[in-house]
Amino acid sequence: MISEDIIERVRLSTDIVSVIREYLPDLKRAGRNWKARCPFHNEKTPSFVVNSEKGIYKCFGCNASGDVFKFVKEMDNISWVEAVKKLAQKANIEIKETVGKDSVKRSEKTKLFEILESSARFYHRHLLESQSAKTALAYLQKRGVNSDSIKKFQLGYAPRNQLLEAALKKGNAVDDLLKAGLITKTERGNFFEYMSERLVFPIFDVQGRVVAFGGRTLDESKQPKYLNTPETAVYSKSSNLYGLFQTLSELRKERKIIMLEGYLDVVIPQQFGIAGAVASLGTAFTQNHAKLIARHADSVKLLYDSDDAGRAANQRALEILIENGVETTVSALPENIDADEFLIANGVEAFVRLLEDTSKSAIDFMLWRICAKFDKNSSEGKQKAAGELLTFVAKSRNNITIRDWIKKVSQTLNLDENLVWLEFKKQRSAQVKSYKVDEKVVLQVNNQIGLSIEESLLRLITDDKNYINRIQNDIFQDAKCSKVYALLISGAGIADILNAVTEDEKDWFSSLTLINIEYKNKDEVLNILLKDIEK
């Protein structure tokens, strides 16, 4: 464990602009900030902002954000501790690690990774060598999976109740196997191995570490057909995508992802040379999935099954991706056929042609989905369809896209475009918490649209901590604002706060702090905000 004092010394001795310029030579001053093209996604117009005073960076294109330690960690693909050590060495600061709770936690996670890696080797070896795995190998052969893919994805087979015994012989404790999500204890006091007698799909994180397993039964009468190991200290379903690690090298070149449904839906396309094929892990698509995708790709093709459940999944994923600024299109598989089955039966050219021929833009897919629910020829049907469509349109951040989408909505529903614009503005103004600033107070504000009163107050006291003592401790009702305020009054700096909050809160707070606001009269602004909150 590295002491907080040493971490703070390294931070204070390190100029974030100088560090980032070593990686991004095009970093240039832009007012109080510095700007460059983001290293985490492809872009033509720079949206990557660095603030040297606050010691943070934020990309307004892909939402990447953090302090100097996180930047080096992400760019060099190393751990946070390694990033601190690297910067300490540059600053000629000696690091002496101490044993504490954090180091214990890290050692526990290291142990879990070792157990999971060992288990993956155990399952893989049994698939290739065990007599009991013949059915599993025959199934993979039937589904068209070749030996290279078996090796690439480290596919395995779990012999009946043998992992626990093998792990105990290696000196692992039962508690550690429970923590790794490999076994569970039944009500009778027996231990149940999640993957027992299943074809095993190891799940890797973006660093190539085994974090969990998915298993498919080979007995069609046995339910559930697919079973995932539970979430653990090293695994979250909503923060991982199956197949992402195996296609990272291609993504660095093309930055295009195809979102599919199942394990073999990913294995077979990658086997056929289809780059960017990934799948969510037995859970609905989440904000974390979108943020993970935005880090590694600029565009996404959604290809779920062509049934009601698949179309609903497409819509959920589409809405979340658009909210996160990811360019998204939707393609359709024929009824009752999976992506891997289509590829095996028809080949790569037909699969690529299918993706192109059935491709719908985000708005075209939503028009197709929503208009099928309502009668476009009735006033009530048009009203309901327009309401749902405009809710979707509002998820886009791009004003040009919004304009084009509203035009399409108007044409499809045969409505006057001006009326649709009026409805859109009414809907958006109802969603956005805003406040009126006294005309006597002149503010020069950039990108302030959408700030709530509490966010505006938090932005003011973050800019000038002298105002902290002028407000009451219980003034913030918004949970995020209250959390950051508590950190501010405890003496935490901007970088400290970024390290103390969740990923979603980090995106929000870094955006908030980097908004460029010039206050002509801070005292008057403070008084107005306090009055508005009181009202």
Side-chain angles (χ1 to χ4, degrees), residues 57-217:
Y57 66 87
K58 164 79 178 181
C59 176
F60 289 89
C62 70
N63 281 329
S65 62
D67 61 4
V68 68
F69 300 127
K70 185 177 179 185
F71 181 83
V72 172
K73 169 184 175 292
E74 299 295 339
M75 293 298 292
D76 292 350
N77 195 25
I78 57 179
S79 70
W80 186 85
V81 172
E82 289 170 325
V84 174
K85 288 180 177 178
K86 179 175 180 175
L87 292 171
Q89 187 176 19
K90 286 173 69 73
N92 293 317
I93 296 173
E94 183 182 357
I95 285 189
K96 293 180 181 178
E97 294 192 52
T98 58
V99 177
K101 289 182 181 178
D102 288 344
S103 61
V104 170
K105 285 180 183 177
R106 281 195 290 273
S107 67
E108 286 178 353
K109 286 188 176 182
T110 300
K111 189 185 294 183
L112 294 185
F113 283 128
E114 289 171 353
I115 290 171
L116 290 161
E117 182 65 39
S118 175
S119 301
R121 289 196 300 268
F122 174 86
Y123 293 141
H124 185 60
R125 186 174 68 252
H126 274 273
L127 176 67
L128 299 179
E129 300 175 3
S130 173
Q131 287 295 315
S132 60
K134 282 187 174 180
T135 305
L137 278 172
Y139 174 80
L140 288 172
Q141 187 175 18
K142 179 184 174 184
R143 295 297 297 266
V145 180
N146 64 25
S147 57
D148 288 338
S149 290
I150 290 174
K151 183 178 179 181
K152 177 180 179 179
F153 289 89
Q154 289 292 290
L155 304 184
Y157 174 75
R160 182 178 176 82
N161 298 331
Q162 291 185 32
L163 176 69
L164 176 59
E165 182 182 353
L168 292 176
K169 282 182 180 178
K170 286 189 172 184
N172 294 305
V174 169
D175 281 350
D176 290 329
L177 295 171
L178 288 164
K179 289 176 184 176
L182 296 168
I183 62 173
T184 188
K185 197 170 186 177
T186 66
E187 291 180 358
R188 295 182 179 181
N190 300 320
F191 291 106
F192 167 74
E193 296 181 15
Y194 282 102
M195 294 294 104
S196 189
E197 295 186 299
R198 288 177 180 268
L199 174 64
V200 179
F201 298 85
I203 297 163
F204 295 82
D205 66 9
V206 290
Q207 294 183 50
R209 300 174 299 194
V210 178
V211 292
F213 297 96
R216 189 200 191 280
T217 181

Side-chain angles (χ1 to χ4, degrees), residues 391-435:
T391 299
F392 173 73
V393 171
K395 294 181 185 297
S396 175
R397 302 174 180 178
N398 189 296
N399 289 328
I400 296 173
T401 299
I402 289 172
R403 184 195 65 194
D404 290 344
W405 286 2
I406 285 179
K407 187 173 184 178
K408 276 206 166 188
V409 170
S410 307
Q411 292 171 345
T412 304
L413 298 178
N414 194 24
L415 292 169
D416 182 88
E417 191 174 333
N418 291 326
L419 290 177
V420 177
W421 265 110
L422 283 173
E423 193 60 33
F424 175 73
K425 288 174 181 176
K426 273 171 55 181
Q427 193 177 103
R428 187 158 65 173
S429 64
Q431 292 171 348
V432 175
K433 296 177 184 177
S434 58
Y435 66 96

Side-chain angles (χ1 to χ4, degrees), residues 10-70:
V10 176
R11 195 193 308 280
L12 292 173
S13 302
T14 302
D15 177 18
I16 189 171
V17 171
S18 298
V19 171
I20 291 179
R21 285 186 82 172
E22 291 179 17
Y23 295 86
L24 308 177
D26 64 331
L27 187 69
K28 290 182 174 61
R29 182 176 285 282
R32 293 170 61 183
N33 298 323
W34 296 73
K35 290 186 81 172
R37 289 190 296 274
C38 180
F40 304 116
H41 80 288
N42 285 338
E43 61 178 6
K44 293 180 180 178
T45 304
S47 60
F48 182 84
V49 177
V50 183
N51 187 293
S52 58
E53 296 171 20
K54 295 168 183 172
I56 60 173
Y57 66 87
K58 164 79 178 181
C59 176
F60 289 89
C62 70
N63 281 329
S65 62
D67 61 4
V68 68
F69 300 127
K70 185 177 179 185

Side-chain angles (χ1 to χ4, degrees), residues 179-345:
K179 289 176 184 176
L182 296 168
I183 62 173
T184 188
K185 197 170 186 177
T186 66
E187 291 180 358
R188 295 182 179 181
N190 300 320
F191 291 106
F192 167 74
E193 296 181 15
Y194 282 102
M195 294 294 104
S196 189
E197 295 186 299
R198 288 177 180 268
L199 174 64
V200 179
F201 298 85
I203 297 163
F204 295 82
D205 66 9
V206 290
Q207 294 183 50
R209 300 174 299 194
V210 178
V211 292
F213 297 96
R216 189 200 191 280
T217 181
L218 298 166
D219 179 355
E220 297 300 327
S221 65
K222 189 177 178 181
Q223 294 298 322
K225 184 186 288 186
Y226 284 94
L227 183 66
N228 283 355
T229 52
E231 296 200 344
T232 66
V234 298
Y235 172 60
S236 168
K237 289 179 185 178
S238 65
S239 299
N240 288 274
L241 291 167
Y242 184 72
L244 179 60
F245 170 70
Q246 285 85 354
T247 195
L248 275 180
S249 58
E250 290 97 344
L251 284 178
R252 291 188 184 107
K253 300 171 189 173
E254 295 193 26
R255 295 187 62 82
K256 295 178 182 178
I257 274 179
I258 303 175
M259 274 296 304
L260 299 145
E261 280 199 77
Y263 295 114
L264 290 177
D265 286 337
V266 170
V267 173
I268 294 298
Q270 288 200 26
Q271 178 177 302
F272 273 79
I274 306 291
V278 302
S280 54
L281 293 154
T283 186
F285 195 85
T286 67
Q287 291 286 344
N288 285 341
H289 286 139
K291 287 178 171 57
L292 183 61
I293 284 173
R295 287 281 310 281
H296 299 283
D298 299 319
S299 64
V300 174
K301 169 76 71 179
L302 298 175
L303 186 65
Y304 289 96
D305 291 346
S306 291
D307 52 18
D308 287 340
R311 286 189 281 269
N314 264 327
Q315 183 173 334
R316 282 195 303 272
L318 179 63
E319 290 172 347
I320 293 170
L321 286 161
I322 293 300
E323 277 181 334
N324 284 272
V326 180
E327 181 187 335
T328 310
T329 55
V330 184
S331 288
L333 285 160
E335 294 281 350
N336 303 316
I337 188 168
D338 294 331
D340 65 298
E341 294 171 334
F342 185 92
L343 260 168
I344 294 292

